[in-house]
Amino acid sequence: MQRNLLILLAFAVGASVLPFVASDFAVSMALTCLMYAALSSSWGLFCGTTRYLSLATSAFFGLGAYTGALVLDGLPWFATVAAGAAVATVVAVVMGAAVLHLRGTYFAVLTFGMTELIRHAITYWEKQVTGTVGRVLVAVPERDTVYFTVLALAVGALLLSIVVRRSRFGLAMAGIGSDEVRAQTLGVDTRVVKIAGFALTAAVAGAVGAAMSVRWTYIDPGTVFNPFIGFQTVLIALVGGAATLWGPLIAAVVFSVLAETLRLQMPQVYMMSLGLLLILCVLYLPGGLASLRWPGRKEASA
């Protein structure tokens, strides 16, 4: 654990220096990398451990973004980010209580369906109640404020993974992923553990959404509830190694570089690269990119 904390500290220090020495383009790319590092690390903490495939990340991200846009003018910046996390957490508890009794394809499809339901519900509310679709963000914090906030969230997500994986709560989630029925017989309240883990993932995604909402001067449901955000989070976690600690961070860097290099000029090549990376990892690196450096290591030692 001490080694992981030292690595995390080195990463935080190195990333903190970047805004002062790098170009705006490099900082923008790093911001995207940190966003997906936080999202995929928190997703892997729950889904990689319990083996529940959630496709609800974009819902929690969008809820956080919309919450942040609504309260940004009336609350301090950090209270705005906290509000985004709180709303996403409440929705995750309700959603988890409704669907976490399912597993496999049924759970994945239902989380995606509920994400689309939330997106269309907000679109309907905006059209019928407010008479418009989208929000214009006027009073936004400076670039460095947003960057260091997302950096803190990414570091916090990784630190949370380090701590939780070694706690009784983390062991309970690992037991659910290994054999849920056996975990129940050993006295684990699997329903409560699953809902708590699901809500933990949602809190991080909601906070990241609230922080990243100010990156756009105008947001609408199609932007912040974009399914691509959720799918890319899952891809990053799976390619990096959802059950590992540092795999999602490694993959977030790889995907961010690919995105900025290929997506604007050659979007088809970018999507093909995502699919190729996923296929190669599933076939030859089922443990993700992290297994290249730490072959055969158990997650407990990560």
Side-chain angles (χ1 to χ4, degrees):
M1 183 174 181
Q2 185 176 5
R3 179 188 176 187
N4 288 327
L5 291 175
L6 290 175
I7 295 173
L8 181 60
L9 178 62
F11 165 73
V13 171
S16 298
V17 175
L18 192 64
F20 304 105
V21 298
S23 64
D24 289 341
F25 174 78
V27 173
S28 176
M29 185 169 67
L31 186 60
T32 301
C33 172
L34 292 172
M35 179 187 90
Y36 279 112
L39 292 176
S40 58
S41 294
S42 61
W43 186 91
L45 176 60
F46 173 70
C47 298
T49 305
T50 63
R51 300 183 183 179
Y52 273 75
L53 180 61
S54 169
L55 299 178
T57 300
S58 57
F60 303 137
F61 181 92
L63 286 168
Y66 252 84
T67 302
L70 288 172
V71 305
L72 181 62
D73 293 337
L75 291 178
W77 171 240
F78 293 106
T80 298
V81 175
V87 170
T89 301
V90 171
V91 173
V93 170
V94 175
M95 185 186 297
V99 302
L100 275 170
H101 63 283
L102 302 171
R103 285 193 72 107
T105 306
Y106 298 102
F107 176 75
V109 170
L110 271 177
T111 53
F112 179 72
M114 295 185 81
T115 298
E116 289 297 290
L117 176 63
I118 292 171
R119 178 169 71 90
H120 288 292
I122 290 181
T123 302
Y124 177 82
W125 175 77
E126 291 245 294
K127 288 181 178 180
Q128 299 299 322
V129 178
T130 66
T132 184
V133 177
R135 299 277 163 177
V136 177
L137 304 179
V138 180
V140 299
E142 296 180 353
R143 182 202 70 174
D144 288 354
T145 301
V146 178
Y147 177 86
F148 283 109
T149 301
V150 179
L151 172 60
L153 291 173
V155 172
L158 288 165
L159 180 61
L160 190 66
S161 294
I162 294 173
V163 174
V164 169
R165 289 173 192 271
R166 291 180 172 271
S167 67
R168 294 184 63 183
F169 177 60
L171 293 175
M173 287 198 296
I176 292 172
S178 178
D179 189 336
E180 187 167 348
V181 175
R182 183 182 179 187
Q184 288 177 329
T185 61
L186 292 176
V188 176
D189 191 337
T190 56
R191 180 177 175 83
V192 172
V193 170
K194 288 187 295 184
I195 292 175
F198 193 56
L200 201 60
T201 298
V204 175
V208 172
M212 291 295 292
S213 66
V214 298
R215 196 180 187 187
W216 303 284
T217 56
Y218 172 83
I219 65 170
D220 61 2
T223 301
V224 296
F225 288 95
N226 188 349
F228 181 78
I229 294 175
F231 287 131
Q232 181 148 303
T233 297
V234 175
L235 283 174
I236 288 174
L238 292 179
V239 170
T244 66
L245 177 61
W246 300 109
L249 175 61
I250 297 170
V253 175
V254 173
F255 274 67
S256 297
V257 172
L258 278 176
E260 297 298 335
T261 304
L262 300 175
R263 187 168 59 185
L264 296 180
Q265 297 181 350
M266 295 180 289
Q268 290 80 16
V269 175
Y270 173 63
M271 297 305 295
M272 289 168 59
S273 300
L274 295 188
L276 182 61
L277 272 175
L278 180 62
I279 292 171
L280 290 176
C281 282
V282 169
L283 291 177
Y284 303 108
L285 289 174
L289 294 176
S291 63
L292 289 173
R293 183 168 182 176
W294 298 295
R297 289 191 60 178
K298 295 182 179 179
E299 180 56 31
S301 64

